[in-house]
Amino acid sequence: MQARFHPIWVQLPAKLQDALLPYAGNNDFPAMLTAEQAESIKNSCGFDDNTLAVALLPLAAACSLTPISHFNVGAIARGESGNLYFGANMEFAGVPLQQTIHAEQCAITHAWLLGEKKLASVTVNYSPCGHCRQFMNELNSGAQLEIHLPKQVHSTLGHYLPDSFGPNDLGIKTLLMDPVNHGYKLETTDKLVLTALDAANQSYAPYSNSYSGTALLGKDGKIYPGRYAENAAFNPSLPPLQAALILMNISGGDCLAIDRAVLVEGKHCDLSQRSATQSILAALGCSKFDYYTF
Ligand SMILES: [Zn+2]
């Protein structure tokens, strides 16, 4: 079992420990459960979907990186496939707070990067902040997305974000998590560059059309893609580097052990991720940064 789960494991109910051990007990546990695995755990423990998601929150929160707040938040995104994706808040020392990732953003991006096409619910151990409510308002689940909190009657995003402003107000029809391929190409055989290009092609930028993607090569030899996720309110947009860092951290990688990073974006776009990406990478101790445009 990964060390980050050790302190919290003993606090889980014994029957949940038994049911989870075949999955979470492995060192390569990717902080997600397939629908089949979730079904098996629910049957063993007598849980429904929501009880299981709430019970998993302490494990999700154990994935937090909080050098500044030391305040750990966990989230579980349940896809329409039935898969469960862990999320946790992530902070980065040495860069502005605006670069912080919230647990809900983490769980949602985790699901999106692993190919989930729509979410049924998001469960979180603290009430979602305004930033996250707005971020979730961009999803193709719409106002019907279920929000679950421990010890509270579940409700929908529409309840948590009344009188919302979002993509529908701007005539956007293809929403966050809808599968897309923008079709950009680069002449290269470099696997990291091609991974970043693929991420850019699947990125979501309906307001600026400034599509971008990153790929990180960890010192563990694993590659982590990250797609840009734009927002109607602009500020809650999630940069592509953050998306890649989400996948790296949540799947057990070390964000302070990046061997090489690539950013791919459009050449003549209204905005660029280049300087922000480079400065965050520098704060994370990564100096091997390659930049490509299409
Ligand atoms: Zn938040």
Side-chain angles (χ1 to χ4, degrees):
M1 182 181 294
Q2 294 162 27
R4 60 184 175 176
F5 297 128
H6 286 170
I8 206 70
W9 186 258
V10 292
Q11 296 174 35
L12 298 179
K15 62 180 179 182
L16 182 60
Q17 285 185 20
D18 290 344
L20 256 179
L21 194 63
Y23 318 112
N26 296 326
N27 234 339
D28 57 358
F29 175 59
M32 67 85 67
L33 292 164
T34 65
E36 292 73 23
Q37 293 168 346
E39 202 59 39
S40 152
I41 297 166
K42 282 190 290 180
N43 288 338
S44 301
C45 297
F47 287 169
D48 61 17
D49 284 326
N50 301 328
T51 318
L52 175 58
V54 169
L56 291 172
L57 288 175
L59 275 183
C63 300
S64 292
L65 296 179
T66 52
I68 298 157
S69 71
H70 308 290
F71 183 81
N72 294 357
V73 185
I76 302 287
R78 182 163 59 86
E80 283 204 333
S81 66
N83 292 355
L84 301 178
Y85 304 89
F86 290 31
N89 57 330
M90 295 167 57
E91 302 160 358
F92 308 102
V95 299
L97 284 179
Q98 280 81 357
Q99 308 299 340
T100 300
I101 297 161
H102 295 218
E104 298 92 320
Q105 290 180 300
C106 181
I108 291 163
T109 305
H110 183 193
W112 185 39
L113 287 172
L114 292 196
E116 191 70 45
K117 294 180 178 65
K118 199 171 191 177
L119 295 182
S121 70
V122 173
T123 304
V124 60
N125 56 356
Y126 295 95
S127 185
C129 74
H131 177 87
C132 287
R133 295 177 195 204
Q134 186 69 44
F135 183 81
M136 291 189 281
N137 196 40
E138 205 69 34
L139 290 166
N140 59 1
S141 315
Q144 297 311 309
L145 177 71
E146 291 177 24
I147 307 289
H148 298 277
L149 292 162
K151 297 179 186 147
Q152 282 200 28
V153 179
H154 75 263
S155 198
T156 60
L157 180 62
H159 166 82
Y160 282 95
L161 192 67
D163 302 320
S164 68
F165 176 82
N168 294 337
D169 298 298
L170 296 170
I172 302 301
K173 301 290 182 216
T174 302
L175 302 173
L176 182 57
M177 289 189 83
D178 282 335
V180 290
N181 182 355
H182 306 301
Y184 294 104
K185 292 185 168 61
L186 285 173
E187 288 300 322
T188 177
T189 55
D190 186 322
K191 196 174 169 190
L192 204 61
V193 179
L194 289 171
T195 301
L197 175 66
D198 182 58
N201 275 327
Q202 296 186 69
S203 66
Y204 176 78
Y207 309 105
S208 70
N209 294 317
S210 302
Y211 304 109
S212 60
T214 52
L216 304 176
L217 174 65
K219 289 183 178 166
D220 56 7
K222 294 182 184 162
I223 289 178
Y224 305 93
R227 305 172 194 156
Y228 177 41
E230 210 160 66
N231 191 278
F234 282 19
N235 296 73
S237 302
L238 190 82
L241 175 61
Q242 264 80 347
L245 290 168
I246 283 171
L247 195 59
M248 186 175 210
N249 171 53
I250 209 76
S251 33
D254 181 356
C255 295
L256 297 175
I258 302 169
D259 185 46
R260 183 184 165 222
V262 171
L263 170 68
V264 173
E265 64 181 0
K267 198 179 293 181
H268 303 294
C269 291
D270 289 342
L271 56 91
S272 172
Q273 307 289 342
R274 187 179 191 175
S275 61
T277 301
Q278 208 160 6
S279 70
I280 299 165
L281 285 168
L284 295 172
C286 171
S287 55
K288 275 199 252 173
F289 172 63
D290 295 317
Y291 177 70
Y292 289 79
T293 54
F294 46 73

